[in-house]
Amino acid sequence: MREAAEIIGVPQSTLRYWEKEFPEINPRRSTANQRYYSPQDLEILQIIHFLLHIKGMKVDAAKEQVKHNKKNISRKLEVLEKLNEMKGDLEILLQSLNLREQKISFKN
């Protein structure tokens, strides 16, 4: 559970709360009652995080979206992740260009 909370970026208590609110989350439990989240569980957790924390939805609205529109949300989340990766790459490129410009200015 700790690892899943770190991946999603929320406290473990939030994951426990989401398990109660969203029946789609169903982690396997060990004999010691430890939770083990499947890749599908992690995907649903990421969708819930996106809906609640990024989109700012209320829990009831997020429940409806997860129940009826999970595939579409999953695609939007994938696009958002790719855009964030591209943004990071562009920021690195911009920093490199700024450093190069500074070096050229310093030489002149």
Side-chain angles (χ1 to χ4, degrees):
M1 177 175 230
R2 179 177 36 96
E3 290 175 17
E6 288 174 7
I7 290 169
I8 304 301
V10 296
Q12 293 180 32
S13 59
T14 299
L15 294 184
R16 285 190 287 275
Y17 172 72
W18 288 353
E19 282 179 30
K20 292 176 187 173
E21 294 294 321
F22 295 88
E24 295 83 4
I25 306 169
N26 192 17
R28 185 175 54 87
R29 291 184 183 256
S30 70
T31 54
N33 208 27
Q34 289 182 308
R35 293 170 174 87
Y36 292 99
Y37 293 95
S38 69
Q40 293 83 10
D41 289 327
L42 289 174
E43 180 182 1
I44 293 170
L45 289 170
Q46 288 175 326
I47 288 170
I48 292 167
H49 181 266
F50 171 74
L51 293 172
L52 296 176
H53 295 277
I54 309 290
K55 298 277 285 184
M57 288 185 170
K58 303 284 185 196
V59 172
D60 289 337
K63 283 183 191 179
E64 286 297 313
Q65 289 294 313
V66 170
K67 186 175 181 179
H68 298 294
N69 202 14
K70 183 172 66 173
K71 194 174 223 177
N72 189 30
I73 296 167
S74 183
R75 277 190 244 127
K76 287 180 181 179
L77 190 56
E78 286 176 26
V79 169
L80 185 61
E81 288 172 355
K82 288 179 184 178
L83 287 171
N84 281 331
E85 285 178 24
M86 289 173 61
K87 179 183 175 189
D89 292 343
L90 290 171
E91 287 173 344
I92 291 170
L93 181 60
L94 181 61
Q95 288 173 356
S96 296
L97 290 171
N98 286 337
L99 284 173
R100 184 174 179 176
E101 182 181 345
Q102 288 174 357
K103 286 179 182 180
I104 292 171
S105 297
F106 183 69
K107 288 181 181 179
N108 293 334

